[in-house]
Amino acid sequence: MNPTDQPSTAQTAASGIPDARRRCVHLRAWSAVVASGVLACTALLPAQAQIGSTVPVRVGVVGPFTGPSADFGVPMLNGIKLAVDEINAVGGYLGRPLELVVKDDTADPDQGRKVSQELLNEKVVATIGFCNTGVALKAIDLFQGASSPLIVPCATGTAVTAKYPAPDSYIFRVQARDAIQAPFLVDDIVKRGWDKVAIFADKTGYGEGGYNDVVAALAAKNLKPVHVARFDLGVKDLTAELTAARNAGANVVYSYTVGPENATIANGKKALGWKVPQVGPWPLSFPFFLEGAKDAAEGALMVQTFIAEPSNERRASFLSSYTRKYHGKVAVPMAAANAYDATYLLMYSFLGIRDGNLTGKAIKESLEGKMKTYYGVVTTYDKPFSVQDKDAITRNMLVMGMVKNGAITFAYPEDAKRNLIIQRKQ
């Protein structure tokens, strides 16, 4: 970690730099990166490429922009669009604008596979996408088989980046995989004295993988869940399962589902008068939970990579730019911030390709180690990937979020202070 990576909000406020100027500072910094990349690449480009092609660089985007997971699919898309607008404003890649080819997977695995094939048929150079683990797992073999890089900004299932041997894999991720989220949260609840855990997990690929990771994290503490409930998406009543968990002596409910089912659990606990905490991964920060459970959501704890507080200049600029462009606050800040950073990392990988030939293999190799350091919203990305590691987020970057007055804030004051210091990959 490096406290000098970016100035704190207090430092920014003291300097009197308005938001517009902060944005200009960022764009000038990006312009410098682009310019250095242009100078480095131009001398090595083929003669015809040096003329200055304006043919767009086509980047695929796939995610749930309608349907039950649109609450975080849309912020993901918005984060990508915001980054692309900034990049194109200062010249794109060697004068070539980035052009997004957007496909809606509707959170359906079969649809996700169909539109992924469409993206590959349309010759995108790389793709950013997937919010749902089950959808991603249904389609990633297409990207791997085509040697076409995929950067996943939202789907957390451990298997997404574990399916293929790391040296061969074209699947990258800018999100905390469940295998580090689960131990992080289990450590916290055990520290709080909550050692009788009831697990409520849906039957999707996400719920199955998360369930396995939680059980493994508990086993590392010599614990077993006192009750397990598995359920289908769309369930409206979990009273019987909650009653069984209460009778088993559970003192905390660990939920692993991505949609309104989290609110069903919270509202069910409230109806029973069962006042035990609800904890889980990042979907507990989604509108489906906050708005669906309302006061029943208060105090819930979840793992976060990014909480929407302007703790440094880079985050303040991102939040204000997003709010201005999309006319309101970020519905799921993590989805937008991770996707924004993923887009810049992809662009930085382009600039690491000396001959300007954006093949899948060249982009993969650049992502694995040839990029300049990117000072992002979530973290500072200094060698975020390698031949042996396709996950950019490590445990030290995680913080505990808490629902307070219907919004997400830091669960611990020390996390808020720690958030002023940029956590680099460990």
Side-chain angles (χ1 to χ4, degrees):
M1 62 186 182
N2 186 349
T4 63
D5 278 348
Q6 300 175 3
S8 68
T9 302
Q11 291 171 321
T12 301
S15 66
I17 300 176
D19 174 70
R21 184 178 167 192
R22 285 199 302 270
R23 179 174 168 81
C24 288
V25 167
H26 169 55
L27 290 178
R28 284 199 299 272
W30 171 247
S31 297
V33 172
V34 172
S36 66
V38 170
L39 291 173
C41 291
T42 300
L44 298 174
L45 288 174
Q48 62 270 29
Q50 292 186 32
I51 295 173
S53 172
T54 58
V55 176
V57 177
R58 308 190 85 205
V59 175
V61 180
V62 58
F65 310 128
T66 61
S69 292
D71 58 341
F72 66 126
V74 171
M76 181 193 83
L77 177 59
N78 289 346
I80 295 168
K81 287 180 174 178
L82 180 60
V84 166
D85 286 350
E86 292 176 356
I87 291 165
N88 285 342
V90 291
Y93 172 65
L94 302 180
R96 299 174 61 189
L98 270 57
E99 178 185 281
L100 296 178
V101 182
V102 180
K103 302 289 183 179
D104 184 2
D105 65 32
T106 70
D108 176 78
D110 291 331
Q111 175 69 5
R113 185 175 180 85
K114 175 178 177 291
V115 298
S116 294
Q117 187 61 66
E118 291 174 2
L119 283 174
L120 294 169
N121 291 343
E122 293 184 41
K123 306 300 183 184
V124 296
V125 300
T127 298
I128 303 168
F130 294 114
C131 287
N132 305 91
T133 294
V135 181
L137 290 175
K138 182 81 172 185
I140 57 175
D141 65 298
L142 297 176
F143 296 95
Q144 183 70 18
S147 299
S148 184
L150 168 69
I151 302 181
V152 179
C154 290
T156 62
T158 301
V160 170
T161 47
K163 185 172 183 178
Y164 303 105
D168 303 325
S169 181
Y170 280 76
I171 314 303
F172 299 80
R173 177 161 45 195
V174 184
Q175 172 61 289
R177 64 191 184 278
D178 290 334
I180 63 171
Q181 286 201 48
F184 181 81
L185 186 49
V186 165
D187 284 351
D188 186 76
I189 64 178
V190 169
K191 181 175 67 176
R192 292 170 180 264
W194 304 335
D195 57 353
K196 295 179 176 59
V197 182
I199 302 176
F200 279 63
D202 67 40
K203 295 178 182 178
T204 67
Y206 174 68
E208 180 67 21
Y211 164 75
N212 290 332
D213 285 326
V214 174
V215 169
L218 288 171
K221 298 288 186 181
N222 296 316
L223 296 173
K224 293 182 179 180
V226 298
H227 181 77
V228 173
R230 303 299 303 275
F231 52 86
D232 295 317
L233 293 183
V235 65
K236 303 297 183 183
D237 186 358
L238 289 167
T239 301
E241 291 83 353
L242 289 164
T243 299
R246 181 176 63 180
N247 292 342
N251 56 14
V252 60
V253 172
Y254 199 134
S255 59
Y256 235 100
T257 187
V258 77
E261 297 77 18
N262 273 318
T264 298
I265 294 167
N267 290 327
K269 289 197 298 99
K270 179 182 177 182
L272 289 172
W274 188 31
K275 296 181 179 180
V276 296
Q278 183 172 349
V279 304
W282 71 304
L284 289 180
S285 66
F286 291 9
F288 264 136
F289 180 61
L290 300 178
E291 297 170 9
K294 295 185 171 59
D295 63 318
E298 283 293 299
L301 298 169
M302 78 294 298
V303 182
Q304 298 278 276
T305 60
F306 173 73
I307 291 177
E309 295 188 12
S311 53
N312 59 49
E313 184 176 334
R314 189 72 187 90
R315 291 167 183 157
S317 178
F318 166 75
L319 290 169
S320 61
S321 295
Y322 188 103
T323 300
R324 183 169 56 251
K325 183 175 179 64
Y326 299 108
H327 311 292
K329 69 178 184 179
V330 194
V332 181
M334 270 183 65
N338 288 356
Y340 178 90
D341 281 357
T343 307
Y344 267 101
L345 286 173
L346 180 60
M347 183 63 198
Y348 270 55
S349 77
F350 294 168
L351 294 176
I353 298 170
R354 292 298 197 179
D355 63 2
N357 191 10
L358 300 180
T359 65
K361 183 174 184 292
I363 295 170
K364 173 182 181 292
E365 291 176 351
S366 187
L367 285 167
E368 290 172 343
K370 296 180 180 179
M371 297 187 300
K372 292 179 178 289
T373 298
Y374 165 53
Y375 299 93
V377 174
V378 173
T379 187
T380 291
Y381 299 88
D382 183 14
K383 297 181 176 61
F385 307 111
S386 70
V387 172
Q388 298 296 335
D389 185 2
K390 298 302 188 287
D391 282 286
I393 303 299
T394 48
R395 175 172 168 147
N396 63 303
M397 300 174 189
L398 304 180
V399 296
M400 288 300 303
M402 172 184 282
V403 180
K404 186 175 182 179
N405 298 323
I408 306 301
T409 188
F410 292 98
Y412 296 108
E414 54 268 33
D415 273 352
K417 293 178 181 177
R418 188 169 66 92
N419 199 51
L420 297 174
I421 301 172
I422 302 301
Q423 306 294 319
R424 292 187 181 226
K425 185 171 184 176
Q426 292 181 351

